Amino acid sequence: MKVSGYSYMRNSFAYGYPVIQSITSVLPIVDEFIAVVGKSDDGTREAIEAIGSPKIRIIDTEWDPAMTKGGKIFAQQANIGLKAISPDADWAFHIQSDEVIHEQDLAEIRQAMEDHLDDKKVDGFLFPFYHFIGDYKHIGPTRKWHSKEIRITRNDPRVFSYRDSQGFRLYESEAAYLEDEKKNGVKLKVKKLQARIYHYSYCRNPYLLGGKIKKFGSYYSQGNTSPEFNQEAEPFDFHGVIDILAPFEGTHPVVMAEVIAQQNWEFKYDPSRGRFKPRHRVLHEIEKITGWRIGEYKNYKLIS
């Protein structure tokens, strides 16, 4: 069995992404790792090179401003990595640069790929998420945050990144994918794993995060695309995205230890500032009792 990992990134340090931890967290279970590095001026490329792993192959890109609308640039960059993996790879493991895998979950992930290597009914694997909000001690447990995403697919030329790189679908050909404005495609049939994605997008210095939010927004519009958003940023108000938070009672991946120790901001969770719509509060209470997230968007077909 051969497994290829891949990710895309650009100016990761300028916006506080744990990109090195993200890559190193999956290196033990992949045979190669494709890093699609957009032109950066903050040392991102050099730091990836400095990891020093012979498994890593870097592809240099420049992000096209014309691809910003609707977040298409993210899918484009993901597809560059996906299509660059070795032809003889069996599985493609996508990890985004604010996501990390816990070392305790590597064995389960590897075993699942081995167990279903020849089971062609399985197109990939679905991962539940921990979304860290504000700091490393709080997670977002509600429908405000996606609960699961596909992160492993078969190395099938018909698989393409869907919409803004939040999932994958099957297409008859690359031409069909490019012609499909809505990118409907065919949902992948996937197995759900217990292994989780540790997602740190909203767990960063609020000044860096403020710059990231402004820059990220530019990738969904044809407006200002200045690369200097982080220098203009105001501190991000975490409570602006919070409905409720839950305490995180587990352990973080070992690769995150130094990052966590260097936290240079303070976050105080104030439940009274939560923006929880009455309908969503009711739905959350139902989910807590039943485990069922009513009306959840599912970009996959779950198989038992």
Side-chain angles (χ1 to χ4, degrees), residues 1-3 29 90-93 104-128 151-154 189-196 303-304:
M1 183 179 73
K2 184 171 183 177
V3 182
I29 58 170
D90 298 294
W91 299 105
F93 193 157
Q104 68 185 11
D105 294 326
L106 294 176
E108 179 204 347
I109 297 168
R110 181 81 186 184
Q111 191 63 53
M113 291 188 288
E114 290 181 350
D115 289 347
H116 298 284
L117 181 61
D118 298 318
D119 184 358
K120 301 304 181 182
K121 296 190 298 295
V122 177
D123 295 321
F125 297 96
L126 190 71
F127 288 73
R151 284 295 177 261
I152 296 177
T153 66
R154 286 195 182 275
K189 300 184 294 295
V190 296
K191 289 268 189 179
K192 180 187 172 185
L193 301 181
Q194 295 300 312
R196 287 182 179 266
I303 56 178
S304 57

Side-chain angles (χ1 to χ4, degrees), residues 271-291:
S272 69
R273 294 183 60 194
R275 301 181 180 183
F276 215 156
K277 296 179 181 179
R279 176 176 175 271
H280 287 174
R281 185 180 294 277
V282 171
L283 291 174
H284 181 61
E285 291 301 319
I286 293 174
E287 181 181 347
K288 285 167 59 179
I289 296 170
T290 67

